Amino acid sequence: MTDDDRLNLEINAQAKFASDALPKRTDVSKLVPALAREFPHRSSEQILLKMKHVWKDSGLYWNAD
């Protein structure tokens, strides 16, 4: 399994957690640093974009401020 595969699995797991917590918003800015430490092959900005894509596709909302 590649690092990108593992990262995608983790992002999807976080999206599932956020979905289970509806209707709350998830503060993805708090999740990105932890994922960036675990997946250093991607920048924080790339991870944030991936998270936003998955969240949007899952019908979730986020705070990124």
Side-chain angles (χ1 to χ4, degrees):
M1 180 179 294
T2 69
D3 286 340
D4 278 336
D5 291 337
R6 289 182 39 244
L7 173 59
N8 287 331
L9 283 173
E10 184 62 31
I11 288 173
N12 282 291
Q14 292 295 330
K16 170 84 170 88
F17 178 77
S19 178
D20 291 346
L22 285 176
K24 295 181 181 178
R25 291 178 182 260
T26 302
D27 188 351
V28 295
S29 64
K30 291 183 179 177
L31 299 174
V32 170
L35 291 174
R37 281 190 301 275
E38 187 166 344
F39 300 97
H41 72 289
R42 294 288 180 194
S43 70
S44 294
E45 293 80 16
Q46 290 172 316
I47 292 172
L48 180 60
L49 288 175
K50 285 179 176 276
M51 291 186 80
K52 286 182 177 181
H53 178 76
V54 170
W55 258 243
K56 182 178 178 186
D57 286 351
S58 301
L60 299 171
Y61 300 95
W62 63 86
N63 296 333
D65 298 327

